[in-house]
Amino acid sequence: MFTFLPSALQPEIAQHWQAFTTAAQTAGVELPTGAARAELMQVWAGSEFVARACLREPRLLADLADSGDLASPYAPGDWATRIDRQLATVVDEAQLAAALRRFRRREMVRIAWRDLAGLADLTETLGDLTDLAEIAVGAALDRLHEDQCRRYGIPHAADGQPQRLVVLGMGKLGGRELNFSSDIDLIFAYPQPGQTDGSRAITNEEFFRRLGQRLAKTLAEPTADGFVFRVDLRLRPFGDSGPLAMSFAAFEDYYQNHGRDWERYAMIKARCIAGDREAGERLLTTLRPFVYRRYLDYHAFAALREMKALIAQDMERKSRRRNIKLGPGGIREIEFIGQAFQLIYGGREPALRERSILRVLETLGATGRLPMEAVHDLQQAYDFLRRVENRLQAWADQQTHHLPEDDLAKLRLAFTMGAPGWEAFADQ
């Protein structure tokens, strides 16, 4: 049954299969057979997270298989349909948190399965992980906003216009490049000051501060069902010492008077992922001159030189040598190459105002700013390293970028990457 697996991986998979057989029989679930069983073994060999999810809830695997969700990519609109169905009976915050965690577990099993079984390419995997985060944040925000409006009334501006929170996704979430066990970097803003219209009226600032706190807690607080996504709010203006949510005017004032070069770099990928999307686009349009200067930005050369020196200094640390993200030749260096060109030339070349590093590299090749051979090499390296990153993190649903040192873990990673052994994988 397990002969196609490396011999060292077979005992572990045999134990999982025995335990799953018992759990499935208890739950009245039929065991997979034939090609489906072989696919299951292959996926389990690369993800203990998936194996344990199947053991914990055998019906989860049966549902994914019977629905066809393992075999096919989602169509547009599928995410919204599924999250609405999952949250249909939710009546309070505790139920919302639990339902979101169940939804996340199902979809993460599906995404890992399609990736490890070779059914999805990198673009689909990163896109699905991003869509999962985006739909979870949006669904949680909508329900928490409604609940908070019942308590305090609807927030309005001075001119009477209703106000909604704007949630900016930063980093890989903004770029639609989220990895398997990533934090999500969020920034909260709202259009205008004002107050709510309820009997327990509070200011808009207080309303959205409380809403942001509840949203982060609902997504990130560990429970018996795990978490939805770890949330990082430190990229907001003034970092941890700044207000959790700021009005657009305060936001613009901060970047005009206090914005630093690394914040320009960070804002390249900023994207409105939830809340008032129309207002979010207005905010990002207003901030564009801060990120992309209209003139050839010679000042950016010095700033980029300093950032690159910090990256190089960080890479020299012994702990970074086996780090596929932060180490020499890692993911961050590929991103830095593209984003350096964006900061220098993006003000005059709108085609460079892209959030996706792969599309930025394509533009740099098409315009002759980078040789096509170099672009091809960088794209191949990025694809390879991002797939390695997801395979590392899919094993235990943990955020790691370090290549393993244990022989069994090395063999497992090489197998999931289609290499005959560790040496062949290491050569790649």
Side-chain angles (χ1 to χ4, degrees), residues 200-275:
R200 301 169 58 194
I202 57 175
T203 65
N204 287 355
E205 181 181 7
E206 179 67 11
F207 182 94
F208 292 118
R209 181 188 68 80
R210 295 187 185 189
L211 183 58
Q213 286 177 331
R214 294 176 68 194
L215 177 61
K217 179 181 177 182
T218 298
L219 296 171
E221 186 174 59
T223 71
D225 294 310
F227 59 91
V228 188
F229 283 93
R230 292 176 293 264
V231 175
D232 192 333
L233 302 172
R234 293 175 296 176
L235 290 181
R236 69 184 187 271
F238 300 110
D240 282 339
S241 61
L244 197 65
M246 296 177 68
S247 70
F248 285 8
F251 215 85
E252 295 165 29
D253 179 75
Y254 170 83
Y255 284 105
Q256 182 175 344
N257 296 301
H258 305 285
R260 291 160 289 183
D261 290 307
W262 70 263
E263 289 176 300
R264 289 183 61 201
Y265 188 85
M267 289 298 293
I268 285 175
K269 289 184 181 293
R271 180 171 64 91
C272 184
I273 65 153

Coordinates of all heavy atoms in Angstrom, one line a residue, residues 200-275:
R200 N -26.2 55.2 23.1 CA -24.9 55.2 23.8 C -23.9 55.6 22.8 O -22.9 54.9 22.5 CB -24.6 53.7 24.3 CG -25.7 53.2 25.2 CD -25.5 51.7 25.4 NE -24.1 51.4 25.9 CZ -23.6 50.1 25.9 NH1 -24.3 49.1 25.4 NH2 -22.4 49.9 26.4
A201 N -24.0 56.9 22.4 CA -23.1 57.4 21.3 C -21.7 57.5 21.8 O -21.4 57.8 22.9 CB -23.6 58.8 20.9
I202 N -20.8 57.1 20.9 CA -19.4 57.2 21.1 C -18.7 57.8 19.8 O -19.4 57.8 18.7 CB -18.7 55.8 21.4 CG1 -19.0 54.8 20.3 CG2 -19.2 55.3 22.7 CD1 -18.2 53.5 20.4
T203 N -17.5 58.3 19.9 CA -16.9 58.9 18.7 C -16.5 57.8 17.7 O -16.4 56.6 18.1 CB -15.6 59.6 19.1 OG1 -14.6 58.6 19.6 CG2 -15.8 60.6 20.2
N204 N -16.4 58.2 16.5 CA -15.9 57.3 15.4 C -14.6 56.6 15.8 O -14.4 55.4 15.6 CB -15.8 58.0 14.1 CG -17.2 58.3 13.5 OD1 -18.2 57.9 14.1 ND2 -17.2 59.0 12.4
E205 N -13.7 57.4 16.3 CA -12.4 56.9 16.7 C -12.5 55.7 17.7 O -11.9 54.7 17.6 CB -11.5 58.0 17.3 CG -10.1 57.4 17.7 CD -9.2 58.5 18.3 OE1 -9.7 59.6 18.5 OE2 -8.0 58.2 18.5
E206 N -13.4 55.9 18.7 CA -13.6 54.9 19.7 C -14.3 53.7 19.1 O -14.0 52.5 19.4 CB -14.4 55.4 20.9 CG -14.7 54.4 22.0 CD -13.5 54.0 22.7 OE1 -12.4 54.6 22.5 OE2 -13.6 53.0 23.5
F207 N -15.3 53.9 18.3 CA -16.0 52.9 17.6 C -15.1 52.0 16.8 O -15.1 50.7 17.0 CB -17.1 53.5 16.7 CG -18.0 52.5 16.0 CD1 -19.2 52.1 16.6 CD2 -17.6 51.9 14.8 CE1 -20.0 51.1 16.0 CE2 -18.4 50.9 14.2 CZ -19.6 50.6 14.8
F208 N -14.3 52.6 16.0 CA -13.4 51.8 15.1 C -12.2 51.2 15.9 O -11.7 50.1 15.5 CB -13.0 52.6 13.9 CG -14.1 52.9 13.0 CD1 -14.5 54.2 12.7 CD2 -14.8 51.9 12.4 CE1 -15.6 54.5 11.9 CE2 -15.9 52.2 11.5 CZ -16.3 53.5 11.3
R209 N -11.8 51.8 16.9 CA -10.8 51.2 17.8 C -11.3 49.9 18.4 O -10.6 48.9 18.3 CB -10.3 52.2 18.9 CG -9.2 51.6 19.8 CD -8.9 52.5 21.0 NE -10.1 52.5 21.9 CZ -10.3 51.6 22.8 NH1 -9.5 50.5 22.9 NH2 -11.3 51.7 23.6
R210 N -12.5 50.0 18.9 CA -13.1 48.8 19.5 C -13.4 47.7 18.5 O -13.1 46.5 18.7 CB -14.4 49.1 20.3 CG -14.2 50.0 21.5 CD -15.5 50.2 22.2 NE -15.4 51.2 23.3 CZ -16.3 51.4 24.2 NH1 -17.5 50.7 24.2 NH2 -16.1 52.3 25.2
L211 N -13.8 48.1 17.3 CA -14.1 47.2 16.2 C -12.8 46.5 15.8 O -12.8 45.3 15.6 CB -14.8 47.9 15.1 CG -15.2 47.1 13.9 CD1 -16.2 46.0 14.3 CD2 -15.8 47.9 12.8
G212 N -11.8 47.3 15.6 CA -10.5 46.7 15.3 C -10.0 45.7 16.3 O -9.4 44.6 15.9
Q213 N -10.1 46.0 17.6 CA -9.7 45.1 18.6 C -10.5 43.8 18.6 O -9.9 42.7 18.7 CB -9.9 45.7 20.0 CG -8.9 46.8 20.3 CD -9.1 47.5 21.6 OE1 -10.3 47.6 22.1 NE2 -8.1 48.0 22.3
R214 N -11.8 43.9 18.4 CA -12.6 42.7 18.3 C -12.3 41.8 17.1 O -12.3 40.6 17.2 CB -14.1 43.1 18.3 CG -14.6 43.7 19.6 CD -16.0 44.2 19.5 NE -16.9 43.1 19.4 CZ -18.2 43.2 19.0 NH1 -18.7 44.3 18.6 NH2 -19.0 42.1 19.0
L215 N -12.0 42.5 16.0 CA -11.7 41.8 14.8 C -10.4 41.0 14.9 O -10.3 39.8 14.6 CB -11.6 42.8 13.6 CG -11.2 42.2 12.2 CD1 -12.2 41.1 11.8 CD2 -11.0 43.3 11.2
A216 N -9.4 41.7 15.5 CA -8.1 41.0 15.7 C -8.2 39.8 16.6 O -7.6 38.8 16.4 CB -7.1 42.0 16.2
K217 N -9.0 40.0 17.7 CA -9.2 38.9 18.7 C -9.9 37.8 18.1 O -9.6 36.6 18.3 CB -10.0 39.5 19.9 CG -10.2 38.4 20.9 CD -11.0 39.0 22.1 CE -11.4 37.9 23.1 NZ -12.2 38.4 24.2
T218 N -11.0 38.1 17.3 CA -11.8 37.0 16.7 C -10.9 36.1 15.7 O -11.1 34.9 15.7 CB -13.0 37.6 15.9 OG1 -13.8 38.3 16.8 CG2 -13.8 36.5 15.2
L219 N -10.0 36.8 15.0 CA -9.2 36.1 14.1 C -8.0 35.3 14.7 O -7.6 34.2 14.3 CB -8.6 37.0 13.0 CG -9.7 37.7 12.1 CD1 -9.0 38.8 11.3 CD2 -10.3 36.7 11.2
A220 N -7.4 36.0 15.7 CA -6.0 35.5 16.2 C -6.0 34.8 17.5 O -5.0 34.1 17.8 CB -5.1 36.7 16.2
E221 N -7.0 35.0 18.3 CA -7.0 34.4 19.7 C -7.0 32.8 19.6 O -7.9 32.3 19.0 CB -8.1 34.9 20.5 CG -8.0 34.4 22.0 CD -9.1 35.0 22.8 OE1 -10.3 34.8 22.5 OE2 -8.8 35.7 23.8
P222 N -6.0 32.1 20.2 CA -6.0 30.7 20.1 C -7.2 30.1 21.0 O -7.4 30.6 22.1 CB -4.7 30.3 20.7 CG -3.8 31.5 20.7 CD -4.8 32.7 20.8
T223 N -7.9 29.1 20.5 CA -8.9 28.4 21.2 C -8.7 26.9 21.0 O -7.7 26.5 20.4 CB -10.3 28.8 20.6 OG1 -10.5 28.3 19.3 CG2 -10.5 30.4 20.5
A224 N -9.7 26.2 21.5 CA -9.6 24.7 21.3 C -9.6 24.4 19.8 O -9.1 23.3 19.4 CB -10.7 24.0 22.0
D225 N -10.2 25.2 19.0 CA -10.2 25.0 17.5 C -9.0 25.7 16.8 O -9.0 25.7 15.6 CB -11.5 25.6 17.0 CG -12.7 24.8 17.5 OD1 -12.7 23.6 17.4 OD2 -13.7 25.4 17.9
G226 N -8.1 26.2 17.5 CA -6.9 26.8 16.9 C -7.2 28.3 16.7 O -7.8 29.0 17.5
F227 N -6.7 28.9 15.6 CA -6.9 30.3 15.3 C -7.3 30.4 13.8 O -7.2 29.4 13.1 CB -5.6 31.1 15.5 CG -4.4 30.6 14.8 CD1 -4.1 31.1 13.5 CD2 -3.6 29.6 15.3 CE1 -3.0 30.7 12.8 CE2 -2.5 29.1 14.5 CZ -2.2 29.7 13.3
V228 N -7.7 31.6 13.4 CA -8.0 31.8 12.0 C -6.7 32.2 11.3 O -6.2 31.6 10.4 CB -9.2 32.7 11.8 CG1 -9.6 32.8 10.3 CG2 -10.4 32.4 12.6
F229 N -6.3 33.4 11.6 CA -5.0 33.9 11.2 C -4.3 34.7 12.3 O -5.0 35.4 13.0 CB -5.1 34.8 10.0 CG -5.4 34.0 8.7 CD1 -6.7 33.8 8.2 CD2 -4.3 33.6 7.9 CE1 -6.9 33.1 7.1 CE2 -4.5 32.8 6.8 CZ -5.8 32.6 6.3
R230 N -3.0 34.6 12.5 CA -2.3 35.5 13.3 C -2.3 36.8 12.7 O -2.1 37.0 11.5 CB -0.9 35.0 13.6 CG -0.7 33.7 14.3 CD 0.7 33.2 14.4 NE 1.2 32.8 13.1 CZ 1.2 31.5 12.6 NH1 0.7 30.6 13.4 NH2 1.6 31.3 11.4
V231 N -2.6 37.9 13.5 CA -2.7 39.2 13.0 C -1.6 40.1 13.5 O -1.3 40.1 14.7 CB -4.1 39.8 13.4 CG1 -4.2 41.3 13.0 CG2 -5.2 39.0 12.8
D232 N -0.9 40.8 12.6 CA 0.1 41.8 13.0 C -0.3 43.2 12.6 O -0.6 43.4 11.4 CB 1.4 41.4 12.2 CG 2.6 42.1 12.7 OD1 2.5 43.2 13.3 OD2 3.8 41.6 12.6
L233 N -0.4 44.0 13.6 CA -0.9 45.4 13.4 C 0.2 46.4 13.5 O 0.0 47.6 13.6 CB -2.0 45.7 14.4 CG -3.2 44.8 14.4 CD1 -4.1 45.1 15.6 CD2 -4.0 44.9 13.1
R234 N 1.5 46.0 13.5 CA 2.6 46.9 13.8 C 3.0 47.8 12.6 O 3.8 48.7 12.8 CB 3.8 46.1 14.2 CG 3.6 45.4 15.6 CD 4.8 44.5 15.9 NE 4.9 43.4 15.0 CZ 5.9 42.5 15.0 NH1 6.9 42.6 15.9 NH2 5.9 41.6 14.1
L235 N 2.5 47.6 11.4 CA 2.8 48.4 10.3 C 2.0 49.7 10.2 O 2.2 50.5 9.4 CB 2.6 47.6 9.0 CG 3.6 46.5 8.7 CD1 3.3 45.8 7.4 CD2 5.1 47.0 8.7
R236 N 1.1 49.9 11.2 CA 0.2 51.1 11.2 C 1.1 52.3 11.5 O 2.2 52.2 12.1 CB -0.9 50.9 12.1 CG -0.5 50.9 13.6 CD -1.8 50.6 14.4 NE -1.6 50.8 15.9 CZ -1.2 49.8 16.7 NH1 -1.0 48.6 16.2 NH2 -1.1 50.0 18.0
P237 N 0.6 53.5 11.2 CA 1.3 54.7 11.6 C 1.7 54.7 13.1 O 0.9 54.4 14.0 CB 0.3 55.8 11.3 CG -0.5 55.3 10.1 CD -0.6 53.8 10.4
F238 N 2.9 55.0 13.4 CA 3.5 55.1 14.7 C 3.6 53.7 15.4 O 4.0 53.6 16.5 CB 2.8 56.0 15.7 CG 2.7 57.5 15.2 CD1 1.5 58.0 14.7 CD2 3.8 58.2 15.2 CE1 1.5 59.3 14.3 CE2 3.8 59.6 14.7 CZ 2.6 60.1 14.3
G239 N 3.3 52.6 14.6 CA 3.5 51.3 15.1 C 2.7 51.0 16.4 O 1.5 51.4 16.5
D240 N 3.2 50.2 17.3 CA 2.5 49.8 18.5 C 2.0 51.0 19.3 O 1.1 50.9 20.1 CB 3.4 48.9 19.4 CG 3.4 47.5 18.8 OD1 2.5 47.1 18.1 OD2 4.3 46.7 19.2
S241 N 2.8 52.1 19.2 CA 2.4 53.3 20.1 C 1.3 54.2 19.4 O 0.8 55.1 20.0 CB 3.6 54.2 20.3 OG 4.2 54.7 19.1
G242 N 0.9 53.9 18.2 CA -0.1 54.7 17.5 C -1.5 54.1 17.7 O -1.7 53.0 18.2
P243 N -2.5 55.0 17.4 CA -3.9 54.5 17.5 C -4.2 53.3 16.6 O -3.6 53.2 15.5 CB -4.7 55.7 17.1 CG -3.8 56.6 16.3 CD -2.4 56.3 16.8
L244 N -5.1 52.5 17.0 CA -5.4 51.3 16.3 C -6.0 51.6 15.0 O -5.8 50.9 14.0 CB -6.3 50.3 17.1 CG -6.3 48.9 16.6 CD1 -5.0 48.2 16.8 CD2 -7.4 48.1 17.4
A245 N -6.9 52.6 14.9 CA -7.5 53.1 13.7 C -7.4 54.6 13.6 O -7.6 55.3 14.6 CB -9.0 52.6 13.7
M246 N -7.1 55.1 12.4 CA -7.0 56.5 12.2 C -7.9 57.0 11.1 O -8.2 56.3 10.2 CB -5.5 56.9 11.9 CG -4.5 56.6 13.0 SD -2.8 56.9 12.5 CE -2.8 58.7 12.3
S247 N -8.3 58.3 11.2 CA -9.1 58.9 10.1 C -8.1 59.1 8.9 O -6.9 59.1 9.0 CB -9.6 60.2 10.5 OG -8.6 61.2 10.7
F248 N -8.8 59.2 7.7 CA -8.0 59.4 6.5 C -7.1 60.6 6.6 O -5.9 60.6 6.2 CB -8.9 59.6 5.3 CG -9.5 58.3 4.8 CD1 -9.3 57.1 5.6 CD2 -10.2 58.2 3.6 CE1 -9.9 55.9 5.1 CE2 -10.7 57.0 3.2 CZ -10.6 55.9 3.9
A249 N -7.6 61.7 7.2 CA -6.8 63.0 7.3 C -5.6 62.7 8.2 O -4.5 63.2 7.9 CB -7.7 64.1 7.9
A250 N -5.8 62.0 9.3 CA -4.6 61.8 10.2 C -3.6 60.8 9.5 O -2.4 60.9 9.7 CB -5.1 61.1 11.5
F251 N -4.2 59.9 8.7 CA -3.4 59.0 8.0 C -2.5 59.7 7.0 O -1.2 59.5 6.9 CB -4.3 58.0 7.3 CG -3.8 56.6 7.1 CD1 -4.0 55.7 8.1 CD2 -3.2 56.2 6.0 CE1 -3.6 54.4 8.0 CE2 -2.7 54.9 5.8 CZ -3.0 54.0 6.8
E252 N -3.1 60.6 6.2 CA -2.3 61.3 5.2 C -1.3 62.2 5.9 O -0.2 62.4 5.4 CB -3.3 62.2 4.4 CG -4.3 61.3 3.5 CD -5.4 62.1 3.0 OE1 -5.3 63.3 2.8 OE2 -6.5 61.5 2.8
D253 N -1.7 62.9 7.0 CA -0.7 63.8 7.7 C 0.5 63.0 8.2 O 1.6 63.5 8.1 CB -1.4 64.4 8.9 CG -0.5 65.3 9.7 OD1 -0.2 66.4 9.2 OD2 -0.1 64.9 10.8
Y254 N 0.3 61.8 8.7 CA 1.4 61.0 9.2 C 2.4 60.7 8.0 O 3.6 60.9 8.2 CB 0.9 59.6 9.7 CG 2.0 58.7 10.0 CD1 2.7 58.8 11.2 CD2 2.4 57.7 9.1 CE1 3.8 57.9 11.5 CE2 3.4 56.8 9.4 CZ 4.1 57.0 10.5 OH 5.2 56.1 10.8
Y255 N 1.9 60.2 6.9 CA 2.8 59.8 5.8 C 3.5 61.0 5.2 O 4.6 61.0 4.7 CB 2.1 59.0 4.8 CG 1.8 57.6 5.2 CD1 0.6 57.1 5.7 CD2 2.9 56.7 5.3 CE1 0.4 55.8 6.1 CE2 2.7 55.4 5.8 CZ 1.5 55.0 6.2 OH 1.3 53.7 6.7
Q256 N 2.8 62.2 5.2 CA 3.4 63.4 4.7 C 4.5 63.9 5.5 O 5.5 64.4 5.1 CB 2.3 64.5 4.5 CG 2.8 65.7 3.8 CD 1.7 66.7 3.6 OE1 0.5 66.4 3.6 NE2 2.1 68.0 3.3
N257 N 4.3 63.8 6.9 CA 5.2 64.5 7.8 C 6.1 63.5 8.5 O 7.2 63.9 9.0 CB 4.4 65.3 8.8 CG 3.7 66.5 8.2 OD1 4.3 67.3 7.5 ND2 2.4 66.5 8.3
H258 N 5.7 62.3 8.6 CA 6.5 61.3 9.4 C 6.9 60.0 8.7 O 7.7 59.2 9.2 CB 5.7 60.9 10.7 CG 5.3 62.1 11.5 ND1 6.1 62.8 12.3 CD2 4.0 62.6 11.7 CE1 5.4 63.7 13.0 NE2 4.2 63.7 12.6
G259 N 6.4 59.8 7.5 CA 6.6 58.6 6.8 C 8.1 58.3 6.5 O 8.8 59.3 6.1
R260 N 8.5 57.1 6.7 CA 9.9 56.8 6.5 C 10.1 55.9 5.3 O 9.1 55.4 4.7 CB 10.4 56.0 7.7 CG 10.5 56.9 9.0 CD 10.6 56.1 10.3 NE 9.2 55.5 10.5 CZ 9.0 54.8 11.6 NH1 9.9 54.6 12.5 NH2 7.7 54.3 11.8
D261 N 11.3 55.8 4.8 CA 11.6 55.1 3.6 C 11.1 53.7 3.6 O 10.6 53.2 2.6 CB 13.1 55.2 3.2 CG 13.6 56.6 2.9 OD1 12.9 57.2 2.0 OD2 14.5 57.1 3.5
W262 N 11.3 53.0 4.7 CA 10.8 51.6 4.8 C 9.3 51.5 4.7 O 8.8 50.5 4.2 CB 11.3 50.9 6.0 CG 10.7 51.3 7.3 CD1 11.2 52.2 8.2 CD2 9.5 50.9 7.9 NE1 10.4 52.3 9.3 CE2 9.3 51.5 9.1 CE3 8.5 49.9 7.5 CZ2 8.2 51.3 9.9 CZ3 7.4 49.7 8.3 CH2 7.3 50.4 9.5
E263 N 8.6 52.6 5.1 CA 7.2 52.6 5.0 C 6.7 52.8 3.5 O 5.7 52.3 3.1 CB 6.6 53.6 5.9 CG 6.7 53.3 7.4 CD 6.2 54.4 8.3 OE1 6.8 55.5 8.2 OE2 5.3 54.1 9.1
R264 N 7.5 53.5 2.7 CA 7.2 53.6 1.3 C 7.3 52.2 0.7 O 6.5 51.7 -0.1 CB 8.2 54.5 0.6 CG 8.1 56.0 0.9 CD 9.1 56.7 0.0 NE 8.9 56.5 -1.4 CZ 9.9 56.7 -2.3 NH1 11.1 57.1 -2.0 NH2 9.6 56.5 -3.6
Y265 N 8.4 51.5 1.1 CA 8.6 50.1 0.6 C 7.5 49.2 1.0 O 7.0 48.4 0.2 CB 9.9 49.6 1.3 CG 10.5 48.3 0.8 CD1 11.3 48.3 -0.4 CD2 10.2 47.1 1.4 CE1 11.8 47.1 -0.8 CE2 10.8 45.9 1.0 CZ 11.5 45.9 -0.1 OH 12.1 44.7 -0.6
A266 N 7.0 49.3 2.3 CA 5.9 48.5 2.7 C 4.6 48.8 2.0 O 3.7 47.9 1.8 CB 5.7 48.7 4.2
M267 N 4.3 50.1 1.7 CA 3.1 50.5 1.1 C 2.9 50.1 -0.4 O 1.8 50.2 -0.9 CB 2.9 52.0 1.2 CG 2.6 52.5 2.6 SD 1.1 51.9 3.3 CE -0.1 52.7 2.3
I268 N 4.0 49.6 -1.0 CA 3.9 49.1 -2.4 C 2.8 48.1 -2.5 O 2.0 48.1 -3.5 CB 5.3 48.6 -2.8 CG1 6.2 49.7 -3.1 CG2 5.1 47.7 -4.1 CD1 7.6 49.2 -3.5
K269 N 2.7 47.2 -1.6 CA 1.7 46.1 -1.7 C 0.4 46.4 -1.0 O -0.5 45.5 -1.0 CB 2.4 44.8 -1.1 CG 3.5 44.2 -1.9 CD 4.0 42.9 -1.3 CE 5.1 42.3 -2.1 NZ 4.7 41.8 -3.4
A270 N 0.2 47.5 -0.4 CA -1.0 47.8 0.3 C -2.2 47.7 -0.6 O -2.2 48.2 -1.7 CB -0.9 49.2 0.9
R271 N -3.3 47.0 0.0 CA -4.5 46.8 -0.8 C -5.7 46.7 0.1 O -5.6 46.2 1.2 CB -4.4 45.5 -1.6 CG -5.6 45.1 -2.4 CD -5.3 43.9 -3.3 NE -5.0 42.7 -2.5 CZ -5.9 41.8 -2.2 NH1 -7.2 42.0 -2.5 NH2 -5.5 40.7 -1.5
C272 N -6.8 47.4 -0.2 CA -8.0 47.3 0.6 C -8.6 45.9 0.5 O -9.0 45.5 -0.6 CB -9.0 48.4 0.2 SG -10.4 48.4 1.3
I273 N -8.7 45.2 1.6 CA -9.2 43.8 1.5 C -10.5 43.6 2.2 O -11.1 42.5 2.0 CB -8.2 42.8 2.1 CG1 -8.0 43.1 3.7 CG2 -6.8 42.9 1.5 CD1 -7.6 41.9 4.5
A274 N -11.0 44.6 2.9 CA -12.3 44.4 3.6 C -12.8 45.8 4.1 O -12.1 46.8 4.1 CB -12.1 43.5 4.8
G275 N -14.1 45.8 4.4 CA -14.7 47.1 4.8 C -15.2 47.9 3.6 O -15.6 47.4 2.6

